[in-house]
Amino acid sequence: MKLFEHEAKDIFRAFNMPTPSGGVAMTPKEATERAAEVGKPVVVKAMVLAGKRGKAGGVKFADTPQEAEKFAEEILKMRINDLPVEAVLIEEKLDIEQEIYAGITIDRNERKYVVIGSAAGGMSIEELAEESPEKIIKMYVDPSLGFQAFEARQMAIAMGFKGKQINQLGSFFLKLWKIVEAYDVELTEINPLILTKDGKFYAADARLNIDDNSLYRHKAIIEKLKREPVDQNERERLATENDMAYVELDGNIACICNGAGLTMATLDAISLYGGKASTFLDLGGGADAERVEKGIEIALMYPKVKAILVNIMGGITRCDDVARGILAARNDGDITAPIVIRMVGTNEEEGQEILKKAGIPFLKTMEEAASKVVELVKEVA
Amino acid sequence: MKLFEHEAKDIFRAFNMPTPSGGVAMTPKEATERAAEVGKPVVVKAMVLAGKRGKAGGVKFADTPQEAEKFAEEILKMRINDLPVEAVLIEEKLDIEQEIYAGITIDRNERKYVVIGSAAGGMSIEELAEESPEKIIKMYVDPSLGFQAFEARQMAIAMGFKGKQINQLGSFFLKLWKIVEAYDVELTEINPLILTKDGKFYAADARLNIDDNSLYRHKAIIEKLKREPVDQNERERLATENDMAYVELDGNIACICNGAGLTMATLDAISLYGGKASTFLDLGGGADAERVEKGIEIALMYPKVKAILVNIMGGITRCDDVARGILAARNDGDITAPIVIRMVGTNEEEGQEILKKAGIPFLKTMEEAASKVVELVKEVA
Amino acid sequence: MAILVDKDTKVIVQGITGGQGTFHSGAMLEYGTKIVAGVTPGKAGEVINGVPVYDSVIEAKESQGANASIIFVPAPFAGDAALEAIAADLNPVVVITEHVPVKDEIRVIHAAKVKGITVIGPNTPGVITPGAKQKVGIMPGHVFSHGDVGLMSRSGTLTYEIAAGMTNAGIGISTALGLGGDPCVGLTTIEAVKLFKEDKDTKALVLVGEIGGDAEERAAAFIKKEYDLPVVGFIAGRTAPPGKRMGHAGAIISGSSGTAAAKIKALTEAGVAVADKPSDVARLLKEAL
Amino acid sequence: MAILVDKDTKVIVQGITGGQGTFHSGAMLEYGTKIVAGVTPGKAGEVINGVPVYDSVIEAKESQGANASIIFVPAPFAGDAALEAIAADLNPVVVITEHVPVKDEIRVIHAAKVKGITVIGPNTPGVITPGAKQKVGIMPGHVFSHGDVGLMSRSGTLTYEIAAGMTNAGIGISTALGLGGDPCVGLTTIEAVKLFKEDKDTKALVLVGEIGGDAEERAAAFIKKEYDLPVVGFIAGRTAPPGKRMGHAGAIISGSSGTAAAKIKALTEAGVAVADKPSDVARLLKEAL
């Protein structure tokens, strides 16, 4: 679950991490009030769960409350990365001495949390990693001891800080770690973490992603946020509700399969035969007829879809169940695009029998099926 | 810091640990109200930070609110172990199927937390350890992993529980561990933890001691309790405020020394010569003149004191500082009992010079000093 | 011979009384797996598929002499179940459960590492050694035939697809191994290659990877230096867009890292024949052997 | 020879810029201790008593080649400082600080144990080896003279009292060691006895104990079985009442355990000559040697 910047900053403040003064506004009028409260030049930022909002025009500096209102109005109307801007955050514009990067994420090779810092913040860590990898300091967290205060200070030292800034910046890293531990955070970034001209550190930005698998442990915070995850469109939300993995792509063939690896391989096969997939839809293990029907329904809600490829490798999933699901979808008139079916494995013969009786054709290999669906789309176009 | 039972139970409830219904009362009238709210027979318990309050008459069962009021009135007037009863706790009288012991403390040999349980609760764990040690189950907590749910269940299994009670009791132990971790608890006991006839577990009692050295980490809870540690008399409190170790004993000679080991050894030496100490007072390391004077002042507040033995082994503590402190106390007229001084080590000669000039006698070995002070007391008596 | 699971493997099924545990313990027993006990706290005395149920792993182990565990308990309790298996020195510990919080995974993996225990998964189909008729997992046993090719993969059904293709082509498997679809898993790709290297009955490898992380690149570096037998690879997700989780929590391209192209390049440079389609794997194996 | 501290010991003083750190680093230097660096985060570049100050232990160690640490930082930060010293592989780590939370002590002791590092204390006067003119601690150096008797104790000034008595009687010390007055300390009594047993220049032991716990009983059992040289004991707190902390957090009789009587009995049965008064220790040593 990705938190909005202002939500993340509420948590930061609960851990005594300094953030710029200001607050969130849902309307241009509220933005004026927030800016007036700050009483200094402010930054107006789009609250949207998408990266690169700065480049999309979602961050503006305003010298007066009136200007803040104007920018808030503009920004609140925007969509960034196909997502609506939910609110704006009005914050004091800081007097910047230095922009710093601070983050914690999980290193999948080490199977450890890794704390990352750089004195060259402001740009994305990926860009920084390409341009100046030597400027990135990484420290792995011992799984039995956790991240220690002395290690947090070592981060600051390695980043080139001196004197009391070692303790100040170390304290920032330590608090960030405590937040990671407390909230099952899988990725957090403060970029930039700002050192002001008068020598203070502030979390000027805040990214905080909570491990979705851990949300059952954090009911209090979800309750407090009073919202569901919002970085999804209607189809994505529907798929999540039905516990299906669903990703939209640029092509026009919807792939409905069981298993993530098989679904990816199916997408790839379509590409090999010159087609382009529109949809990654993994039904998961042991899908029954109803689930198959639901999957077809969700896939067809996406306007780009011109054809469907169902590719099932029966293991726990039984081919007869899949066949019944397809049949039901057809009988309900849900299948509004050409469909190609490939289905092998558990109860393969029973499933094929059902399809045969219903006059629905099916294929035996995924290569045949992929090549067939690409052909169909070409005919439709 | 020892918490009162009702304070400990507030924490238990915050961790979703079932406790009997009821509440605390400061007056007999409040006790009636609490009992009426419970609406069933209740137990009226003295809130006092002393063991064996049951044997002292501090726990009574009342069938009606009127009876509860009467018992509350009696109990609120009591002193148990020389401490006033601060309040009474009125709680539902449970329908007991079994009394269980559950506790967590620190094992000083293993340098680990140890979880302790017994299906034979109700009596003190020390008595139980003597009578039926085989009924006590102990499990050490791995310092890097902490106490795990499966270990908590193993406790319940080893204690002889079966079926869903394994999970229920396991959950009790796990919550107790989480409290220990969250609040730097050095000792907690639920004795008895009651299994009711309808198959539910309740923390019927609650003992919770927080490591005094960790209190700086728990300001929120201390704030919430709105009290200072209360299991001390005025002299003890004064010594604590002045960061001195102070213990009152049955004899009549106050020992004022530097270092806990030396102070104990001085007490023992007095006993060897046929005397009895009234006071253990360890000034700590590096005591200055003011501190020595303060120590003498506190020691003499205890009415039992008939003579004082100051025994200083100068290391960080300087004998001249000690001499100046004694001199100041004498000059202020604070020394109202015979005093014997033994003082060696750092700046020994300067210190002795000061005492000599002031006409205050001193001795060179602790044996001489101990034997001398015992003589003095005999003369006084 | 094989790796991880063989005829001497005696398995405890943790969470045997749940739907998944009951269903798959039945399927495993049918395949031939030696399941000696099940564990569900509070349900000691029950019997599932003829298997006695205990309250704790240690009781089950001590009563029945088990040496491995497979875990079907729900995600919130899976980490605890794995720690219980590790504490009882079962090895390997196969965690089928999906959606285990990554913080729990890290704790489990670290605890296992300290004791030298292999954790497979979480979010894995498990391990199967067809020659010993032992599967500790949820894969359909009939698609795996006995032979001398080791198969490892980060995904389930894709593994079955490739195994079925191999079986149809008359190529058998020594051990097939699901590594799990999560970013953090116990046994890593490179560790699996090392295990197969030590197994004298494995004469070739199939490495099925997917986008996300650089486990395949690391394995490729090892293969280039240390592994002399034929290896055929397949990488799923060539057409996956960056920044999207493709079903598996671990299948995500972040920035320029974790792409199929990079993995295919690394494997090719290590002398691995990389298949374009799952069905090419069997053909490339035949060419290589 | 001696134990823990000798002429090759090169010490880092953590918290050197604080009052205690500055005062005692001066006293240690005066005694002859090789202090090579101090550490106070944020104060790199300062010089205290001629000793250069660094921001971190690792920097201090790498710059000056230290191998031991003494810690004077305030209690809330002492656990972190000890973990920093342990991470930098300094050994021993002497924690002078009093009032360290026991939870922190447990973490530190465990972390050290995993790496085979000796932690002395917390709440200890430290270690002194008079023959090498090295003290890593706060004891007054002049009361300890060089010789072949090992001295260990759970208290400070009582140790000085006994050491002074030995010095006056012409008995010298190989190494004297404060174990610390807290219930949980790093180096335990029995471990100290074992270290002295391995030291061929220690010909006899003085074991100064006090009420609380059963460290002395455990050491007595070991001495009975494995230690053949003379041992003289002293136990403080014979007249202490149960249930009261006698100054040290660890000096408390709980129920019937931790009494002086039990300790004296165990030591006597192990062949240890137990002194009635501190001044008897030197006499008993003379008789034994």
Side-chain angles (χ1 to χ4, degrees):
Chain A
M1 181 180 190
K2 292 177 183 171
L3 299 197
F4 285 108
E5 180 182 345
H6 64 276
E7 294 169 339
K9 282 182 172 170
D10 283 344
I11 293 179
F12 282 12
R13 277 187 292 270
F15 281 75
N16 296 319
M17 201 185 270
T19 58
S21 62
V24 92
M26 309 304 286
T27 63
K29 189 166 171 299
E30 281 180 19
T32 334
E33 291 164 12
R34 290 297 92 73
E37 284 159 17
V38 171
K40 291 180 195 171
V42 295
V43 55
V44 182
K45 295 195 271 189
M47 294 296 95
V48 62
L49 293 174
K52 319 226 162 162
R53 69 181 166 180
K55 286 183 187 161
V59 178
K60 298 251 156 99
F61 293 93
D63 285 332
T64 63
Q66 291 68 37
E67 215 180 344
E69 181 173 17
K70 193 190 73 174
F71 289 140
E73 188 162 7
E74 286 172 28
I75 291 173
L76 282 165
K77 282 182 196 149
M78 291 173 69
R79 286 180 76 87
I80 297 178
N81 260 16
D82 207 24
L83 292 166
V85 172
E86 304 275 334
V88 287
L89 180 61
I90 311 292
E91 279 185 345
E92 178 189 358
K93 186 182 167 192
L94 298 170
D95 202 7
I96 301 174
E97 171 72 30
Q98 188 175 351
E99 292 191 310
I100 296 154
Y101 176 95
I104 301 180
T105 184
I106 289 156
D107 182 292
R108 44 198 283 171
N109 289 310
E110 295 289 329
R111 278 85 50 90
K112 287 177 182 170
Y113 290 93
V114 57
V115 182
I116 303 169
S118 175
M123 71 169 111
S124 89
I125 194 76
E126 289 84 6
E127 287 171 61
L128 188 60
E130 284 193 7
E131 280 183 27
S132 326
E134 77 288 352
K135 287 188 184 157
I136 298 178
I137 310 298
K138 284 186 182 191
M139 203 175 254
Y140 293 103
V141 179
D142 182 315
S144 55
L145 281 170
F147 194 58
Q148 300 298 322
F150 79 87
E151 295 173 307
R153 293 193 302 268
Q154 273 174 12
M155 284 293 303
I157 293 168
M159 285 161 70
F161 289 89
K162 304 214 179 299
K164 64 182 180 179
Q165 293 185 343
I166 292 169
N167 293 307
Q168 289 167 345
L169 186 56
S171 162
F172 245 96
F173 277 106
L174 198 62
K175 286 169 187 167
L176 203 56
W177 166 251
K178 289 192 171 155
I179 291 166
V180 165
E181 271 208 309
Y183 291 113
D184 279 279
V185 172
E186 58 180 12
L187 171 66
T188 179
E189 284 185 334
I190 309 177
N191 191 17
L193 192 168
I194 281 175
L195 173 60
T196 57
K197 290 223 194 303
D198 57 350
K200 288 179 185 153
F201 292 92
Y202 292 94
D205 195 7
R207 189 173 169 191
L208 201 64
N209 299 356
I210 297 177
D211 178 4
D212 286 329
N213 291 339
S214 78
L215 289 179
Y216 70 91
R217 293 203 271 239
H218 304 292
K219 289 192 180 128
I221 188 177
I222 294 168
E223 184 74 13
K224 205 174 146 203
L225 296 178
K226 286 196 191 93
R227 67 167 179 90
E228 295 292 310
V230 292
D231 53 337
Q232 296 187 324
N233 66 33
E234 192 197 341
R235 299 174 294 272
E236 287 167 338
R237 222 167 2 236
L238 207 54
T240 303
E241 276 167 24
N242 283 280
D243 202 23
M244 296 171 188
Y246 176 90
V247 180
E248 293 185 348
L249 306 159
D250 283 340
N252 47 25
I253 299 167
C255 297
I256 302 175
C257 315
N258 63 331
L262 186 67
T263 316
M264 279 188 274
T266 308
L267 262 52
D268 295 349
I270 283 172
S271 164
L272 272 181
Y273 291 102
K276 264 191 114 180
S278 64
T279 310
F280 169 106
L281 198 162
D282 172 10
L283 295 167
D288 60 12
E290 208 178 325
R291 200 167 168 75
V292 172
E293 195 182 349
K294 191 81 196 169
I296 294 172
E297 187 190 321
I298 293 171
L300 281 167
M301 290 167 69
Y302 187 31
K304 289 196 174 164
V305 173
K306 297 265 180 288
I308 298 175
L309 170 52
V310 176
N311 180 19
I312 299 295
M313 176 74 210
I316 327 168
T317 308
R318 295 168 6 166
C319 292
D320 53 337
D321 281 342
V322 175
R324 271 187 284 272
I326 292 167
L327 195 60
R330 194 200 59 176
N331 294 347
D332 291 355
D334 284 345
I335 304 187
T336 54
I339 187 164
V340 173
I341 296 153
R342 182 264 181 159
M343 200 171 73
V344 296
T346 309
N347 293 6
E348 180 177 331
E349 280 160 33
E350 294 89 328
Q352 292 175 354
E353 197 57 37
I354 292 168
L355 292 182
K356 258 184 211 162
K357 274 190 189 155
I360 301 173
F362 59 88
L363 297 164
K364 283 219 143 194
T365 73
M366 75 183 259
E367 285 76 10
E368 285 173 306
S371 119
K372 173 79 180 171
V373 79
V374 171
E375 257 174 55
L376 279 180
V377 166
K378 281 182 186 153
E379 285 169 21
V380 173
Chain B
M1 182 181 189
K2 293 178 182 171
L3 298 197
F4 285 107
E5 180 182 346
H6 64 276
E7 294 169 338
K9 283 182 172 171
D10 283 343
I11 292 180
F12 282 11
R13 278 186 291 270
F15 281 74
N16 296 317
M17 199 183 270
T19 58
S21 62
V24 92
M26 310 303 287
T27 63
K29 188 165 172 297
E30 280 179 20
T32 335
E33 290 164 14
R34 289 298 92 73
E37 283 158 18
V38 171
K40 291 181 195 171
V42 296
V43 55
V44 182
K45 293 195 272 189
M47 293 298 94
V48 61
L49 293 175
K52 321 226 160 161
R53 68 180 167 181
K55 285 184 188 159
V59 179
K60 299 250 157 102
F61 294 94
D63 286 331
T64 64
Q66 290 69 36
E67 213 180 345
E69 181 173 15
K70 192 190 74 173
F71 288 140
E73 189 163 5
E74 287 171 27
I75 291 174
L76 282 165
K77 281 182 197 148
M78 291 173 70
R79 286 180 76 86
I80 297 179
N81 261 14
D82 206 24
L83 292 167
V85 173
E86 304 274 334
V88 287
L89 180 60
I90 311 292
E91 279 185 345
E92 177 188 359
K93 185 182 169 191
L94 297 170
D95 201 7
I96 301 174
E97 170 72 30
Q98 188 175 352
E99 292 191 311
I100 297 155
Y101 176 95
I104 301 181
T105 185
I106 289 157
D107 183 292
R108 46 197 283 169
N109 290 308
E110 294 290 330
R111 280 84 51 89
K112 286 177 182 170
Y113 290 92
V114 56
V115 183
I116 304 170
S118 175
M123 70 169 110
S124 89
I125 194 76
E126 289 83 7
E127 287 172 61
L128 188 60
E130 283 193 9
E131 280 182 27
S132 325
E134 77 289 350
K135 287 188 185 160
I136 297 177
I137 310 297
K138 284 187 182 192
M139 203 176 256
Y140 293 103
V141 179
D142 181 314
S144 55
L145 281 170
F147 193 58
Q148 300 298 320
F150 79 87
E151 295 174 307
R153 293 193 303 268
Q154 273 173 12
M155 284 293 304
I157 293 168
M159 285 161 70
F161 290 88
K162 302 212 180 300
K164 65 181 180 180
Q165 293 184 342
I166 292 170
N167 293 306
Q168 288 167 347
L169 186 57
S171 162
F172 245 96
F173 277 107
L174 197 62
K175 285 168 188 168
L176 203 56
W177 166 250
K178 289 192 172 157
I179 292 167
V180 165
E181 270 209 309
Y183 290 112
D184 277 279
V185 172
E186 58 181 13
L187 171 66
T188 178
E189 284 186 331
I190 310 176
N191 191 19
L193 192 169
I194 282 176
L195 172 60
T196 56
K197 291 223 194 304
D198 57 350
K200 288 178 186 153
F201 291 92
Y202 292 93
D205 194 6
R207 189 173 169 191
L208 200 63
N209 299 357
I210 297 178
D211 178 4
D212 286 330
N213 292 339
S214 79
L215 289 180
Y216 69 92
R217 294 203 270 240
H218 304 292
K219 290 192 180 128
I221 188 178
I222 294 167
E223 184 74 11
K224 206 175 145 202
L225 295 178
K226 286 198 192 89
R227 67 167 179 90
E228 295 294 309
V230 293
D231 53 338
Q232 295 186 325
N233 66 32
E234 192 197 342
R235 299 174 294 272
E236 288 167 337
R237 226 173 352 242
L238 208 53
T240 303
E241 275 167 25
N242 284 280
D243 202 24
M244 297 172 187
Y246 176 91
V247 180
E248 293 184 348
L249 307 159
D250 283 340
N252 47 24
I253 299 167
C255 297
I256 302 176
C257 314
N258 62 330
L262 186 67
T263 316
M264 278 189 274
T266 307
L267 262 52
D268 296 350
I270 283 172
S271 164
L272 271 181
Y273 291 103
K276 262 191 116 182
S278 64
T279 312
F280 170 106
L281 197 161
D282 172 10
L283 294 166
D288 59 12
E290 208 178 325
R291 201 170 167 74
V292 172
E293 195 182 349
K294 191 81 197 168
I296 293 172
E297 188 191 321
I298 294 170
L300 282 167
M301 290 167 69
Y302 187 32
K304 289 196 175 165
V305 173
K306 296 264 179 291
I308 299 174
L309 171 52
V310 175
N311 181 17
I312 300 295
M313 178 73 209
I316 326 170
T317 309
R318 296 168 6 166
C319 292
D320 53 337
D321 281 341
V322 174
R324 269 186 285 271
I326 293 166
L327 196 59
R330 194 200 60 175
N331 294 346
D332 292 355
D334 285 346
I335 305 187
T336 55
I339 186 165
V340 174
I341 296 153
R342 183 263 181 159
M343 198 169 73
V344 294
T346 309
N347 292 9
E348 181 177 327
E349 281 158 32
E350 292 89 328
Q352 292 174 354
E353 197 57 35
I354 292 167
L355 293 181
K356 259 182 209 160
K357 275 189 188 154
I360 301 174
F362 59 86
L363 297 163
K364 284 218 142 195
T365 72
M366 78 184 257
E367 285 76 11
E368 286 172 306
S371 119
K372 174 81 182 170
V373 78
V374 171
E375 258 173 56
L376 279 180
V377 166
K378 281 183 188 151
E379 287 166 21
V380 173
Chain C
M1 278 283 290
I3 68 165
L4 295 162
V5 164
D6 60 24
K7 64 181 173 40
D8 299 323
T9 304
K10 289 180 181 173
V11 185
I12 285 174
V13 178
Q14 291 180 251
I16 195 169
T17 58
Q20 294 277 308
T22 300
F23 176 80
H24 287 294
S25 62
M28 282 188 273
L29 285 165
E30 203 175 297
Y31 184 72
T33 309
K34 288 182 191 120
I35 298 177
V36 297
V39 171
T40 299
K43 303 219 168 161
E46 290 192 15
V47 174
I48 303 284
N49 299 319
V51 173
V53 178
Y54 293 84
D55 283 327
S56 71
V57 170
I58 193 72
E59 287 175 301
K61 183 194 170 179
E62 283 173 2
S63 304
Q64 301 292 342
N67 53 22
S69 173
I70 182 166
I71 294 174
F72 290 99
V73 308
F77 314 108
D80 180 60
L83 289 175
E84 184 175 3
I86 291 164
D89 291 313
L90 298 182
N91 188 8
V93 175
V94 178
V95 187
I96 302 298
T97 313
E98 211 178 341
H99 299 308
V100 178
V102 67
K103 187 176 166 186
D104 299 1
E105 293 178 349
I106 288 174
R107 284 164 62 84
V108 165
I109 292 166
H110 178 70
K113 204 171 182 180
V114 167
K115 295 189 86 175
I117 287 172
T118 300
V119 169
I120 297 162
N123 193 12
T124 172
V127 193
I128 184 167
T129 295
K133 280 286 167 198
Q134 296 296 311
K135 71 164 185 172
V136 183
I138 59 171
M139 62 287 282
H142 65 275
V143 305
F144 297 84
S145 61
H146 174 51
D148 54 13
V149 177
L151 170 58
M152 77 197 79
S153 170
R154 277 162 60 190
S155 75
T157 44
L158 183 56
T159 309
Y160 317 158
E161 177 85 39
I162 286 170
M166 288 167 66
T167 297
N168 288 340
I171 303 170
I173 283 167
S174 55
T175 296
L177 177 62
L179 298 164
D182 286 357
C184 288
V185 292
L187 188 72
T188 59
T189 310
I190 191 167
E191 286 166 353
V193 173
K194 286 178 187 171
L195 287 179
F196 278 121
K197 181 173 187 263
E198 297 305 312
D199 175 33
K200 62 181 191 314
D201 293 340
T202 296
K203 309 285 195 225
L205 283 189
V206 176
L207 193 164
V208 182
E210 63 186 36
I211 55 161
D214 61 357
E216 293 83 0
E217 286 90 328
R218 287 170 180 252
F222 176 81
I223 288 167
K224 193 172 185 177
K225 250 175 88 178
E226 312 243 1
Y227 194 79
D228 297 329
L229 297 172
V231 183
V232 172
F234 177 77
I235 302 294
R238 295 169 182 231
T239 56
K244 298 277 186 184
R245 285 201 175 154
M246 304 304 278
H248 284 154
I252 182 165
I253 298 167
S254 323
S256 60
S257 91
T259 64
K263 293 173 191 302
I264 291 168
K265 181 162 177 275
L267 288 169
T268 306
E269 284 175 4
V272 175
V274 181
D276 280 336
K277 307 187 292 289
S279 59
D280 290 345
V281 169
R283 183 177 52 76
L284 290 173
L285 267 176
K286 285 222 160 158
E287 287 173 17
L289 287 168
Chain D
M1 276 287 288
I3 68 166
L4 295 162
V5 164
D6 60 24
K7 64 181 173 41
D8 298 323
T9 303
K10 290 179 180 175
V11 184
I12 284 174
V13 178
Q14 291 179 252
I16 194 168
T17 58
Q20 294 278 309
T22 300
F23 176 80
H24 287 293
S25 61
M28 282 189 274
L29 285 165
E30 202 176 298
Y31 185 72
T33 309
K34 288 184 191 118
I35 298 177
V36 297
V39 172
T40 299
K43 303 220 168 160
E46 291 192 14
V47 174
I48 302 284
N49 299 319
V51 173
V53 179
Y54 294 84
D55 283 327
S56 70
V57 170
I58 192 72
E59 287 175 301
K61 183 194 170 181
E62 284 173 1
S63 305
Q64 302 292 343
N67 53 22
S69 174
I70 182 165
I71 293 174
F72 290 98
V73 309
F77 314 108
D80 181 60
L83 290 174
E84 184 174 3
I86 291 163
D89 291 314
L90 298 182
N91 189 7
V93 175
V94 178
V95 186
I96 303 297
T97 312
E98 211 178 342
H99 299 310
V100 178
V102 66
K103 187 176 166 186
D104 298 1
E105 294 178 348
I106 289 173
R107 285 164 62 84
V108 165
I109 292 166
H110 177 71
K113 204 172 182 178
V114 167
K115 295 189 86 177
I117 286 171
T118 300
V119 169
I120 297 162
N123 192 12
T124 172
V127 193
I128 184 168
T129 295
K133 280 287 166 196
Q134 296 295 312
K135 71 165 185 170
V136 183
I138 59 172
M139 62 287 281
H142 65 275
V143 305
F144 297 84
S145 60
H146 174 51
D148 54 13
V149 177
L151 171 59
M152 77 195 79
S153 169
R154 276 161 62 188
S155 75
T157 44
L158 183 56
T159 310
Y160 316 158
E161 177 85 38
I162 286 169
M166 289 167 65
T167 297
N168 289 339
I171 303 169
I173 283 167
S174 55
T175 296
L177 176 63
L179 299 164
D182 286 357
C184 288
V185 292
L187 187 73
T188 59
T189 310
I190 192 167
E191 286 166 353
V193 173
K194 286 178 188 171
L195 287 180
F196 278 120
K197 180 171 188 266
E198 297 305 313
D199 175 33
K200 62 182 190 317
D201 293 341
T202 296
K203 308 285 194 225
L205 283 188
V206 176
L207 194 164
V208 182
E210 62 186 36
I211 54 161
D214 61 358
E216 293 82 1
E217 287 89 327
R218 287 168 181 251
F222 176 81
I223 288 167
K224 191 172 187 175
K225 250 175 87 179
E226 312 243 359
Y227 193 80
D228 298 329
L229 297 172
V231 183
V232 172
F234 177 77
I235 301 293
R238 296 171 181 228
T239 56
K244 298 277 185 184
R245 286 202 175 152
M246 304 304 278
H248 284 154
I252 183 165
I253 298 167
S254 323
S256 60
S257 91
T259 64
K263 292 174 193 300
I264 292 168
K265 180 162 177 276
L267 287 169
T268 306
E269 284 175 4
V272 175
V274 181
D276 280 337
K277 308 186 292 288
S279 59
D280 291 343
V281 169
R283 184 177 51 78
L284 290 173
L285 268 176
K286 285 222 161 163
E287 286 172 19
L289 286 169

